Amino acid sequence: MRILGMHVLDAVIILLFLAAIIVVGGVTARSVKHQTDFFLGGRKLGRWLQFFLNFGNMTDSTGAVVISSEVFRQGVGGLWIGFQTLFITPFYWFSAVWYRRVRLITMADLFVDRFNSKSLATAYALFNMFLSLFLLGMGNVVTYKVASAMIVKPKADYTAQERQMVERFREYRQLKQEADAGSISEARRQRFDTLDSMNKRGELKSFISYIKPLPFYLGYTAFICIYIVLGGLRAAAFCDAFQGVLVVIMSVLMIPIGLLRIGGFGSLHEIVPEQMFRMFGTVAMSEYTWYSIGAIIFASLIQIFGLVHNITVSGSARDENAARIGAVSGGFSKRFVLIAWAFCGLIAIAVFSRGISDPDNAWGTLSLTLLGPGLMGLMLSGMLLGHMPAVGASAVSISALATRNMYEPIFQGRTQKHYVRAGQWFVGIVLMSAVLFALLFKSAVNMMVMVITFNTFFGAVVLLTFFWRRITAGAVKLGLVIWVVLIGIVPWALPSLE
């Protein structure tokens, strides 16, 4: 028996995990009475919960899709889109303690405390709320692409239009092979250009899914909203414990099955082109050259200091050691999972030598190809639940910014219960706004690069706030204007000019 293309066993496994998450939200709701309870888990999270909270934020299941997609597209060099944090993790030993010691609720509070500038705090809040919506939108896009690639229609159920989309994609792949080999005729070149344009617009598909983007985004977001509104950050931390186990399972699950299917490591090296195994590419073969990787590492190192959830996550720790150990152990655990994701990307290259319509679908399509009933349910649960805690923690952090640094200064003197209720409303608003961002963007990698690039400014500002006494609020505001113009406006506007 099948439900929307899924075996009934897979559907039951997913429903059981979703029910468990709602129960967690209901149980943790009993301890939410003040803003610190909702936004910081009452500052009572010990080392284990700190480990899972950090591991969940850093090893969000969307990373599996982004890494495998980039490895599928660019080879092992694509691992650097997430592996650059290998060199950043040791800094968590110091930075987690800084955020714990300030005893604040949001990163924007740091600007009030340091510069006595509510306007700068508001600017930080608005800037990072906007960027965080990109990140949450990216998570929605990635989760949908995995789910859609795993819940597919059988060919017998295709409509005439859907059958045409799939057939055109197969024709496109054949023409692309001829174009790459330089053996394509002029008439077939024109047909290839037409189909190539259609593929870039998303009008060609290698498969048809039962689920559609907007209904998926709304349903998934509503579910996350329920358990986060109930339990706040503490609910996200407990869900991270579930998520951590599922992420590890789903990360290694497909490697032995995939290697067995293609004939082992020897066959993997025979099928996959040699240049795909290089960690450092060349300009001609890869986007990940040694200098572009260096730029990614440097930008990532700076931008992590300004992340909106730093004070939320580290500030929720019971003590400094819990914050420090949780951040470092969670960070290093992620590195091993990244390697597993890269292996899955290489296996996808070997299995799908004829290609798929969207590299972001590589993880989901590989899961559908390799996994049977039961294992498919675990994988889908891992992808759906694996993303939820990271979304929850980010939504709580943004809600804290909106409540503490925008709402509370306007509506002063209200009760703690009133501000908690406002924070819960803002969680819902944030999550629904992220749905709009998901509809605007199609590529998860492009969204990730945008977030890293834009957030570098406030990462530098926060770092200087701790170390340079002469920095002023005016300098930060002027720098922000220059940054937005040079990084945000000019690169988008310049290519459209002659």
Side-chain angles (χ1 to χ4, degrees), residues 342-387:
F343 266 113
C344 289
L346 289 173
I347 292 170
I349 297 173
V351 173
F352 306 119
S353 56
R354 292 182 61 85
I356 52 180
S357 56
D358 184 352
D360 286 346
N361 288 326
W363 184 277
T365 308
L366 187 65
S367 300
L368 181 65
T369 304
L370 299 180
L371 303 181
L375 294 180
M376 274 284 290
L378 278 176
M379 179 62 74
L380 262 172
S381 298
M383 290 307 303
L384 296 175
L385 273 67
H387 180 52

Side-chain angles (χ1 to χ4, degrees), residues 40 53-54 57-59 84-85 88-89 91-92 95-96 98-99 102 105-111 124-125 127-129 131-136 138 299-315 327 334-335 390 393-398 400-401 447-463 466:
L40 296 173
L53 189 61
N54 280 278
N57 271 298
M58 298 176 192
T59 321
Q84 84 281 0
T85 48
I88 297 170
T89 304
F91 288 89
Y92 294 147
S95 61
W98 301 342
Y99 302 127
V102 296
I105 293 180
T106 72
M107 287 292 287
D109 290 342
L110 182 65
F111 293 97
Y124 173 88
F127 186 85
N128 278 273
M129 286 169 66
L131 283 185
S132 295
L133 288 174
F134 270 102
L135 200 58
L136 292 175
M138 180 194 76
S300 297
L301 174 60
I302 300 301
Q303 68 99 23
I304 61 166
F305 292 103
L307 294 177
V308 68
H309 61 259
N310 281 338
I311 284 181
T312 305
V313 173
S314 297
K334 175 185 178 178
R335 314 312 163 220
S394 295
V396 169
S397 299
I398 303 169
L401 286 175
M447 295 179 80
M448 178 174 281
V449 171
M450 180 177 292
V451 170
I452 291 175
T453 303
F454 269 87
N455 205 47
T456 304
F457 174 79
F458 270 110
V461 170
V462 171
L463 193 59
F466 283 113

Side-chain angles (χ1 to χ4, degrees), residues 478-494:
L478 179 60
L480 178 59
V481 172
I482 296 172
W483 184 261
V484 170
V485 171
L486 293 183
I487 303 299
I489 297 176
V490 171
W492 288 79
L494 205 59

